[in-house]
Amino acid sequence: MSFLSPQDLCHLGSTNQYWRLAVQDPLLWRYFLLRDLPSWSSVDWKSIPDVEIFNRAFSEINDNTLYDYMAIYRKSCQQMRRSLKSNRPKYRAVTSFLQSLVTQAEPRFAMFGPGLEELDESLVVKMMTCPETLLIADLPLRQIHGIGSGISFYFNNNQKFNILTLYSTTSVERKRARREQTVTVNKMFYQESSIEGNHQAVHYNVIAQVKKVCEVVDGFIYVANAEANKIHDRQDELAHILAMIDPALGPQNRPVLFLSCTSYDGVKRIPCVYMAHQLQLNQLRQPWMVQDTVAANLNGLLNGVEWLLEEVEHKNAQ
């Protein structure tokens, strides 16, 4: 059975009771899970496998705590996720005449993260110069003291949405840091200390200009550096993410798209499931998805944008 694909095994298990029991062998599905998981290009808040699956050897798991690896695989695998996906109406589908009379506001998203500045290829520049993937609807209209600007795009040449790009510092300082290979101080955040029990805790807050952005956007796009050969401080990244999506700054259910980004195809990347665990995204209380993306050709970007727009539409419908 290990020579069959997981999809074929599921079909085989649907033939009769004998094969249904035979194909559920946990060792077989654990093998499939650990083999295929690094190649999956997206994972979301509903499908991410528990980290304990990777930390414990099969021999350490007794019968009382045996995982249903087949169910975990089917929930996590992209192809099977699509087949099990609920019949939610496609984006922009008109479900009633009354709905068609309602003017849809242009969704707005705040985009930030180290992947905007650390990669050899600029994701933002590519987005602005690749009309066959994303067509620009409006040139930058909003400036926030040099931190970023809002650009409107068309998704599938139809739905208009706006991205407000937030950089950690000015373009001059970013260029100097790349030239001198130094780390810039992120001016979007400031630290505050508090006493929690007997310990002093440090957390981040966003500056006033960024706070205004967080209060009006419909969701967030975090660009993570997924290149395996780089050094990453995921704990600090998580602290920045939590500061941006602070419930005090807006609705708690706003979706977050994580673009797990490399500069080029062929660069060794951190698998998206590992990225989700490194960033501890299980701490987030709103919908999120991690999508593998390549800055040079924008591979994967539209999949992430489609998910983000669907989540906003679903939230607005509720």
Side-chain angles (χ1 to χ4, degrees):
M1 289 190 291
S2 64
F3 290 99
L4 296 177
S5 71
Q7 291 80 6
D8 288 338
L9 275 181
C10 290
H11 292 313
L12 180 61
S14 66
T15 55
N16 59 48
Q17 185 177 3
Y18 169 79
W19 282 113
R20 181 175 62 82
L21 295 175
V23 302
Q24 291 178 357
D25 179 79
L27 186 58
L28 177 67
W29 284 96
R30 187 175 191 273
Y31 160 75
F32 283 140
L33 185 64
L34 297 182
R35 181 197 68 181
D36 297 345
L37 184 145
S39 65
W40 294 337
S41 62
S42 71
V43 67
D44 62 25
W45 58 301
K46 295 180 179 179
S47 64
I48 186 169
D50 186 2
V51 70
E52 285 298 317
I53 291 174
F54 316 108
N55 294 340
R56 300 176 65 184
F58 191 82
S59 58
E60 297 176 349
I61 302 174
N62 57 48
D63 292 338
N64 295 328
T65 59
L66 198 61
Y67 292 104
D68 186 348
Y69 290 101
M70 181 178 179
I72 294 170
Y73 189 102
R74 297 183 67 181
K75 184 182 75 169
S76 305
C77 174
Q78 289 173 271
Q79 291 179 316
M80 294 188 177
R81 241 165 52 211
R82 283 193 289 267
S83 65
L84 295 174
K85 188 176 180 181
S86 61
N87 294 323
R88 183 185 297 178
K90 285 293 183 181
Y91 192 71
R92 299 292 293 168
V94 178
T95 56
S96 69
F97 175 73
L98 182 61
Q99 182 179 350
S100 68
L101 299 178
V102 178
T103 302
Q104 298 290 332
E106 176 184 339
R108 293 169 291 184
F109 306 106
M111 184 164 69
F112 66 108
L116 290 175
E117 306 171 24
E118 297 175 355
L119 299 178
D120 295 331
E121 190 79 15
S122 171
L123 177 68
V124 175
V125 171
K126 197 64 180 180
M127 290 170 62
M128 295 179 63
T129 57
C130 196
E132 63 273 16
T133 303
L134 276 181
L135 186 63
I136 294 179
D138 292 315
L139 293 175
L141 297 176
R142 294 180 282 275
Q143 293 286 341
I144 305 179
H145 302 288
I147 296 174
S149 58
I151 305 173
S152 292
F153 298 92
Y154 282 117
F155 174 72
N156 283 346
N157 296 324
N158 181 15
Q159 172 60 31
K160 195 175 179 181
F161 67 97
N162 181 272
I163 290 181
L164 184 64
T165 307
L166 303 176
Y167 292 105
S168 65
T169 185
T170 64
S171 60
V172 174
E173 292 172 314
R174 296 197 305 271
K175 290 177 181 178
R176 183 188 304 121
R178 289 184 62 84
R179 184 173 61 252
E180 299 174 357
Q181 296 185 345
T182 58
V183 179
T184 61
V185 177
N186 196 322
K187 295 182 178 180
M188 289 171 50
F189 305 92
Y190 64 92
Q191 288 186 342
E192 279 191 349
S193 299
S194 60
I195 303 299
E196 295 182 3
N198 298 326
H199 303 282
Q200 184 178 21
V202 177
H203 62 276
Y204 287 100
N205 283 326
V206 296
I207 62 175
Q209 300 95 319
V210 176
K211 181 180 178 180
K212 293 178 181 178
V213 174
C214 295
E215 290 173 346
V216 299
V217 296
D218 300 288
F220 301 88
I221 302 174
Y222 184 82
V223 185
N225 186 340
E227 296 184 351
N229 61 334
K230 302 290 178 65
I231 298 175
H232 310 284
D233 187 351
R234 301 300 188 199
Q235 196 65 38
D236 203 50
E237 290 185 54
L238 174 62
H240 288 165
I241 294 166
L242 294 176
M244 287 287 288
I245 64 175
D246 187 342
L249 303 181
Q252 191 173 356
N253 60 345
R254 291 181 293 182
V256 187
L257 170 64
F258 292 86
L259 297 179
S260 185
C261 204
T262 60
S263 300
Y264 309 102
D265 276 323
V267 175
K268 186 176 180 181
R269 69 161 55 247
I270 299 169
C272 64
V273 176
Y274 299 163
M275 176 69 74
H277 284 302
Q278 288 179 10
L279 290 173
Q280 302 177 58
L281 299 186
N282 60 325
Q283 296 189 28
L284 274 57
R285 296 184 178 181
Q286 57 260 84
W288 58 263
M289 184 177 83
V290 182
Q291 173 66 52
D292 284 350
T293 310
V294 180
N297 53 25
L298 300 183
N299 279 352
L301 176 65
L302 291 185
N303 293 334
V305 171
E306 180 179 21
W307 174 87
L308 195 57
L309 293 175
E310 286 182 352
E311 286 297 324
V312 170
E313 181 195 33
H314 181 62
K315 180 175 71 71
N316 292 338
Q318 289 177 326

